[in-house]
Amino acid sequence: MPYLICEDCGNYYELEEGESPEDFQLECDCGGELGYYSTKYDYYKNHRSKPDSQIKSGQESPENKENRNKGFFSTLDAQSKGFIAVGIFGVIILILLFGLSGISSSISPSYLDMMPPEIQAAHAPILVVLYAPRCSACRQFESETLNNPDVQQKLSAYSVMKINVDSSPEQASRFNSNVIPTMVLLDANGKEIRRNVGYMTSSDFIKFLKT
């Protein structure tokens, strides 16, 4: 609800529904002029640089003195406090989102230690393919997708490591995948960027490679 607030002593009247400033004589009992404000917060924001405007002839109303002693936030109405709380909550959420993103990136495991020396020395993004000869989807991915000329061109900028989950189960277990084929894209430091589980067409795989 809006308010009529004295510009001198700070006393206020909360307008009821259907009332307007025109219904009142805009003069306080103390002789000060009544101002129209949507919320108490608007009043205090307008007067925070003019603390002397709340005092007339060296006197201050008991209510205004009590509010001043309580502090700025305690003098606000529920609506104003709600606006401030929503703003603070939004800032906290943004901090958490960006902060957790950075933390997640910094603690994600690196797989560079399990790569052959030539891949470690290449300093290029790495594609890891988990497969098994018995897997029909793996064979299809090898013959139709990896051998596609457009895919071959894209892969020229990557180091590729294929891991047979049957013959190298310990290596494969590092990637915590129980489905083949699984494609894991790593950055040059061996940290995971993204992964895909299951067969992909050439066009889908090219999209997958984009960083």
Side-chain angles (χ1 to χ4, degrees):
M1 286 293 182
Y3 295 85
L4 293 177
I5 305 179
C6 179
E7 303 290 356
D8 288 349
C9 71
N11 286 329
Y12 65 88
Y13 172 75
E14 184 176 359
L15 293 174
E16 301 292 339
E17 186 174 355
E19 292 181 338
S20 68
E22 289 75 16
D23 298 332
F24 298 87
Q25 181 179 356
L26 299 180
E27 183 178 344
C28 181
D29 292 341
C30 73
E33 181 181 355
L34 296 178
Y36 175 81
Y37 295 92
S38 298
T39 66
K40 288 182 182 179
Y41 176 70
D42 292 338
Y43 170 80
Y44 290 110
K45 181 174 65 174
N46 189 49
H47 287 71
R48 63 185 175 184
S49 61
K50 302 182 297 181
D52 292 340
S53 64
Q54 297 178 3
I55 304 175
K56 183 177 181 180
S57 301
Q59 296 182 348
E60 187 174 15
S61 68
E63 180 180 358
N64 196 42
K65 184 176 181 180
E66 180 182 355
N67 288 338
R68 181 168 57 81
N69 292 334
K70 286 181 179 178
F72 170 74
F73 191 77
S74 63
T75 63
L76 302 181
D77 58 12
Q79 183 183 21
S80 300
K81 290 179 179 178
F83 289 148
I84 295 175
V86 169
I88 294 174
F89 182 73
V91 171
I92 292 173
I93 291 297
L94 288 175
I95 292 173
L96 288 176
L97 286 176
F98 286 105
L100 290 178
S101 176
I103 293 173
S104 176
S105 175
S106 64
I107 65 175
S108 60
S110 174
Y111 300 98
L112 199 60
D113 63 297
M114 63 181 293
M115 301 295 160
E118 60 271 19
I119 290 182
Q120 295 185 29
H123 300 294
I126 304 166
L127 173 69
V128 177
V129 180
L130 304 179
Y131 77 102
R134 57 182 166 78
C135 166
S136 59
C138 299
R139 295 195 299 269
Q140 183 183 8
F141 179 71
E142 175 76 28
S143 61
E144 296 181 3
T145 302
L146 290 183
N147 289 329
N148 179 279
D150 293 332
V151 170
Q152 288 288 316
Q153 183 180 3
K154 291 289 184 182
L155 285 178
S156 63
Y158 293 79
S159 297
V160 179
M161 182 177 183
K162 299 177 183 179
I163 300 177
N164 185 332
V165 299
D166 291 337
S167 60
S168 303
E170 290 186 4
Q171 276 190 318
S173 66
R174 287 279 300 272
F175 293 93
N176 297 315
S177 178
N178 297 319
V179 180
I180 50 175
T182 290
M183 284 65 73
V184 184
L185 189 62
L186 310 177
D187 64 18
N189 296 315
K191 292 192 175 184
E192 183 172 336
I193 300 174
R194 69 178 69 92
R195 68 172 58 197
N196 181 83
V197 176
Y199 173 79
M200 279 192 290
T201 64
S202 300
S203 59
D204 289 339
F205 185 63
I206 289 174
K207 293 177 183 177
F208 170 76
L209 289 176
K210 290 182 179 178
T211 56

